[in-house]
């Protein structure tokens, strides 16, 4: 089975749109997201545009604060403080990566945790760790939602996550654990990776290397979730999993594009609605 992230995402966005209208009726204002972008990184520009467009589609208010690449730490902190104190702003997202001269950790710490719709603030990371999250990190939350809506329950399953980044691998492992999976996390120092991945009933891959997971690394009947967004030898968008080879082995698999990708912004919308409700 191919897990259709585009269709599932469209379904959830329609639900959020309905919830948004009910929210506006009850409260008299729209959920509002402010996205901050510093500099002209082309990929970041596309992401920010897509986030603003998605907000519009579900009926949220959105604002993009575009700052020049020379912006100082003090200027950015002052903007975050202003947004923190603005009751008309419910969600704040600082598009990463920031230019190198800026201190990313300090900026993420500065965002009011109640407006931290990316869930990158250490307070929200800690809440996730102890099993009492307010906001869920968007990409791993998107994976959980894909599983849930495809009727796949991690409870009691062997779950293997390849990758241990703060934005995908680690929170992914925590969410699978919270859903009662038996979780193993792999990384670049894992020995005999294929032997570990072959044990997975649910294999989630977030490595950032095109077609890294081959057919020999997957147990027949496994569920394979591909978070990767890479370029193949022809410059075409592809994932971390060799989809053509693994599709026939897996019981369910996400394609790239059209799998996890569309879910990330959808979960951002969900967090923004939650922030407004709070
Ligand atoms: P990252 O920060 O670069 O982390 C990559 C992880 O993969 C690291 O933990 C690294 O291990 C591990 N790794 C690297 N080489 C490996 C190897 N040979 N064997 C086993 N593990 C290996 O990347 P990320 O931010 O998590 O992103 C991963 C991928 O997901 C990228 O393609 C990215 O574009 C994509 N992504 C997609 C979305 C989406 O919305 N769909 C969102 C975020 C990211 P070490 O820790 O040991 O270095």
């Amino acid at each position: 089975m191919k897990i259709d992230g585009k269709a599932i995402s469209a379904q959830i966005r329609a639900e959020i749109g309905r919830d948004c209208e009910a929210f506006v009726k009850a409260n008299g204002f729209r959920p509002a997201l402010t996205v901050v972008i510093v500099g002209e990184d082309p990929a970041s520009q596309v992401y920010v545009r897509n986030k603003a467009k998605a907000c519009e589609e579900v009926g949220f208010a959105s604002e993009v604060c575009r700052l020049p690449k020379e912006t100082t730490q003090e200027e950015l902190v002052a903007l975050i403080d202003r947004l923190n104190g603005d009751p008309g702003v419910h969600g704040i997202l600082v598009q990463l990566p920031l230019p190198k001269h800026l201190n990313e950790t300090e900026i993420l710490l500065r965002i009011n945790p109640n407006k931290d719709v990316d869930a990158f603030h250490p307070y929200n990371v800690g809440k996730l760790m102890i099993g009492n999250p307010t906001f869920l990190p968007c990409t791993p939350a998107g994976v959980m939602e894909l599983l849930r809506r495809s009727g796949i329950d991690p409870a009691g399953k062997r779950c293997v996550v390849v990758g241990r980044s703060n934005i995908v691998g680690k929170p992914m492992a925590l969410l699978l654990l919270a859903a009662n999976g038996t979780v193993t996390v792999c990384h670049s120092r894992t020995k005999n990776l294929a032997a570990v991945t072959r044990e997975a009933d649910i294999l989630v891959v977030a490595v950032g290397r095109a077609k890294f997971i081959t057919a020999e690394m997957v147990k027949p009947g496994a569920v394979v979730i591909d978070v990767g967004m890479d370029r193949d030898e022809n410059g075409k968008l592809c994932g971390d999993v060799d989809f053509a080879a693994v599709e026939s082995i897996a019981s369910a698999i996400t394609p790239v594009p059209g799998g996890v990708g569309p879910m990330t912004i959808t979960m951002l919308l969900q967090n923004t609605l939650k922030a407004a409700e709070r």
Side-chain angles (χ1 to χ4, degrees), residues 139 163-165 167 187-188 206-209 212 227-230 261 264:
T139 300
R164 57 171 165 182
S165 70
I167 62 165
H187 45 78
S188 67
V207 169
R209 292 181 177 210
F212 177 74
V227 181
M229 288 210 294
D230 315 307
T264 298

Side-chain angles (χ1 to χ4, degrees), residues 1-19 140-154 202 223 225 252 254 259 263 266-267 270 273:
M1 168 180 67
K2 204 196 270 189
I3 298 178
D4 186 345
K6 231 172 136 179
I8 293 175
S9 174
Q11 189 187 346
I12 301 172
R13 288 189 197 196
E15 292 165 13
I16 295 173
R18 284 195 291 275
D19 291 347
V143 171
M144 295 307 288
E145 201 57 35
L146 283 180
L147 293 174
R148 199 171 69 78
R149 293 188 183 234
S150 305
I152 299 160
D153 182 0
I202 298 177
V223 172
I225 305 290
T254 58
M263 294 297 287
T266 301
M267 294 299 106
Q270 206 159 69
L273 181 61

Side-chain angles (χ1 to χ4, degrees), residues 1-270:
M1 168 180 67
K2 204 196 270 189
I3 298 178
D4 186 345
K6 231 172 136 179
I8 293 175
S9 174
Q11 189 187 346
I12 301 172
R13 288 189 197 196
E15 292 165 13
I16 295 173
R18 284 195 291 275
D19 291 347
C20 173
E21 284 324 302
F23 177 90
V24 174
K25 266 209 185 95
N27 298 288
F29 58 88
R30 292 188 177 276
L33 174 71
T34 295
V35 180
V36 178
I37 177 166
V38 184
E40 282 102 39
D41 177 60
S44 293
Q45 297 282 349
V46 174
Y47 295 143
V48 167
R49 250 201 315 279
N50 289 342
K51 285 167 188 171
K53 205 170 121 223
C55 280
E56 216 170 279
E57 276 168 22
V58 296
F60 292 0
S62 79
E63 184 197 12
V64 180
C65 295
R66 292 177 196 281
L67 302 180
K69 61 179 187 307
E70 306 76 29
T71 300
T72 65
Q73 185 80 7
E74 293 69 31
E75 286 166 334
L76 186 53
V77 165
L79 172 64
I80 302 292
D81 286 348
R82 180 172 73 69
L83 297 172
N84 281 342
D86 183 344
V89 173
H90 309 120
I92 302 170
L93 182 152
V94 176
Q95 184 65 43
L96 303 178
L98 289 169
K100 288 202 172 41
H101 68 280
L102 295 172
N103 181 341
E104 211 162 271
T105 311
E106 192 198 348
I107 295 300
L108 294 181
L109 260 171
R110 197 80 183 191
I111 297 172
N112 178 345
N114 292 316
K115 299 189 176 190
D116 173 37
V117 287
D118 248 345
F120 290 165
H121 190 291
Y123 177 79
N124 285 319
V125 176
K127 287 194 75 178
L128 174 64
M129 179 84 194
I130 61 171
N132 177 31
T134 306
F135 301 115
L136 295 177
C138 298
T139 300
V143 171
M144 295 307 288
E145 201 57 35
L146 283 180
L147 293 174
R148 199 171 69 78
R149 293 188 183 234
S150 305
I152 299 160
D153 182 0
K157 304 249 166 66
R158 276 301 303 268
C159 304
V160 175
V161 179
V162 190
R164 57 171 165 182
S165 70
N166 288 331
I167 62 165
V168 189
K170 273 188 227 165
M172 188 71 249
L174 287 173
L175 290 180
L176 289 165
L177 185 62
N180 299 313
T182 300
V183 183
T184 303
V185 183
C186 303
H187 45 78
S188 67
R189 308 284 285 271
T190 298
K191 294 221 165 80
N192 204 354
L193 179 66
V196 184
T197 57
R198 262 199 308 271
E199 285 186 5
D201 302 312
I202 298 177
L203 177 63
V204 182
V205 191
V207 169
R209 292 181 177 210
K211 302 181 187 176
F212 177 74
I213 298 291
T214 57
E216 304 76 57
M217 298 169 84
V218 177
K219 176 165 85 175
V223 172
V224 180
I225 305 290
D226 189 352
V227 181
M229 288 210 294
D230 315 307
R231 297 277 163 190
D232 70 7
E233 56 283 1
N234 303 314
K236 229 177 107 210
L237 185 64
C238 74
D240 289 348
V241 177
D242 183 353
F243 184 87
V246 173
E247 188 184 15
S248 58
I249 300 170
S251 62
I253 183 168
T254 58
V256 178
V260 176
M263 294 297 287
T264 298
I265 293 185
T266 301
M267 294 299 106
L268 172 69
L269 297 173
Q270 206 159 69

